[in-house]
Amino acid sequence: MKPIRKVVIPVAGLGTRVLPATKSIPKELLPIVDRPLIDYVVSEAFEAGIEHVILVTGRGKSAIEDYFDHAVELEAALAAKGKDDILASLRSRQPKAGAISYTRQQAPLGLGHAVNCARALIGDEPFAVSLPDVIIDGAPGALAQMVREYEKTGGNIIAVEEVDPKETGKYGIVAPKSERAGRIFEMSGMVEKPTPETAPSNLAITGRYILQPEIFDQLDKTQRGAGGEIQLTDAMAALMEAQPFFAFEYEGVSHDCGDKLGWLKANVRLSLKNSEFADSFREFLRKQVN
Ligand code: UTP
């Protein structure tokens, strides 16, 4: 079985749900406490043993490339001011040279199209896909948990999380093939935004995938679907006819930070875990709700 060495992180979307914040900065650079979204997702990938990160970028997204580059003048200024701790912390976050590649999606035609733009950089091996606006608080990270499962099952794996059964209509929901036992199980399909009455489970798809390279042939054939976009879900559903797909319920909690409320919740949750100011922030929050 080939190992998972690469991850595709699509960052070319327009981020319309968080406008106007994303009018002039990429959604993927919105901060959660003190790090941009993209930093969390790239760190989660390296923690999972990924060697190569492929960012699919687009117009107006070049600040993301700068984020992962050396900031020569800034580093010189920090050194001159004796701010050695900050400098060391910045440098410790610097990825190894060559560990990140960039390719461009020339128009935001959908998640499936964005993933297909990475085809030449992936080649003929299984790979991960992580959506940068989904921040998953888990230890170890969700992708590390998935890679561990993949080493046992092979095939394709979709990360899922339990949601309130009354709210299935907001999510893509997976259908188990048979009675589910444990955190990983084979799927028979997935349904986009089902009503609670028709939902095959309350497990929602949450932005982390392990896929076999045959997904690219399916993406080539996938026509525009919901929202006029080329959907990854449609290509996965087609591949499911030929290959096993597993749903994996990771241990952790996700936040959809591509949505204003989700972004706020992620900031609150992770601020309350920050050793520097968790106590005074908790105190502040208490006063707001009383
Ligand atoms: P989303 O659908 O959450 O992002 O896609 P979006 O399209 O930017 O958001 P809204 O709906 O307009 O608010 C998940 C990820 O896929 C990327 C996005 O950048 C985001 O990180 N994406 C989406 C692409 O790279 N290309 C696309 O055509 C669509």
Side-chain angles (χ1 to χ4, degrees):
M1 191 197 296
K2 289 186 184 169
I4 307 298
R5 300 187 311 125
K6 301 179 185 177
V7 65
V8 176
I9 306 183
V11 298
L14 299 176
T16 54
R17 286 169 295 154
V18 272
L19 279 169
T22 46
K23 191 175 168 197
S24 59
I25 56 161
K27 169 170 78 174
E28 298 76 13
L29 290 182
L30 291 177
I32 303 293
V33 189
D34 56 357
R35 291 156 60 200
L37 290 173
I38 190 71
D39 188 302
Y40 286 86
V41 179
V42 167
S43 300
E44 183 191 313
F46 287 138
E47 184 207 355
I50 298 286
E51 296 163 18
H52 198 144
V53 171
I54 297 157
L55 296 184
V56 181
T57 74
R59 281 184 71 75
K61 300 283 181 159
S62 51
I64 297 174
E65 294 176 41
D66 292 340
Y67 180 77
F68 289 110
D69 203 355
H70 280 287
V72 181
E73 296 85 352
L74 176 63
E75 290 183 21
L78 289 171
K81 286 179 191 288
K83 298 195 170 180
D84 298 331
D85 290 356
I86 302 177
L87 182 57
S89 147
L90 270 192
R91 285 189 173 150
S92 72
R93 307 212 62 78
Q94 190 73 36
K96 242 183 21 208
I100 303 190
S101 296
Y102 301 89
T103 187
R104 191 114 165 176
Q105 185 187 25
Q106 289 157 321
L109 299 179
L111 176 59
H113 181 261
V115 170
N116 210 11
C117 290
R119 182 177 196 155
L121 293 169
I122 294 290
D124 188 26
E125 57 181 276
F127 62 102
V129 174
S130 289
L131 303 191
D133 43 3
V134 179
I135 295 298
I136 304 180
D137 187 17
L143 202 54
Q145 297 178 42
M146 286 174 83
V147 168
R148 205 163 56 197
E149 292 302 320
Y150 175 78
E151 285 160 3
K152 293 183 238 160
T153 61
N156 301 270
I157 306 184
I158 298 181
V160 295
E161 188 172 319
E162 269 195 353
V163 294
D164 182 340
K166 293 197 282 291
E167 299 202 332
T168 52
K170 292 186 187 165
Y171 305 94
I173 299 287
V174 299
K177 198 164 196 171
S178 52
E179 191 64 23
R180 175 187 160 215
R183 289 191 170 269
I184 186 151
F185 56 90
E186 199 168 343
M187 299 167 51
S188 61
M190 50 208 157
V191 194
E192 212 33 64
K193 303 185 170 68
T195 60
E197 297 71 38
T198 57
S201 74
N202 67 332
L203 292 164
I205 297 174
T206 36
R208 301 288 183 274
Y209 311 82
I210 288 178
L211 297 170
Q212 295 298 320
E214 287 76 21
I215 194 73
F216 293 119
D217 291 335
Q218 296 300 338
L219 284 167
D220 279 346
K221 290 186 246 167
T222 303
Q223 303 293 315
R224 288 177 186 234
E229 296 190 336
I230 295 173
Q231 299 286 352
L232 180 61
T233 316
D234 293 343
M236 291 194 300
L239 186 58
M240 215 175 285
E241 306 280 319
Q243 290 189 0
F245 267 74
F246 299 91
F248 172 59
E249 188 188 355
Y250 52 81
E251 289 183 61
V253 175
S254 73
H255 293 287
D256 178 6
C257 300
D259 165 270
K260 289 173 190 173
L261 182 59
W263 177 79
L264 282 170
K265 286 181 181 172
N267 269 294
V268 171
R269 184 183 174 88
L270 296 188
S271 294
L272 289 171
K273 289 189 167 192
N274 185 293
S275 55
E276 227 181 280
F277 48 71
D279 289 345
S280 51
F281 188 55
R282 186 173 293 105
E283 197 47 44
F284 167 80
L285 286 180
R286 260 199 207 108
K287 283 187 191 142
Q288 306 311 303
V289 289
N290 287 336

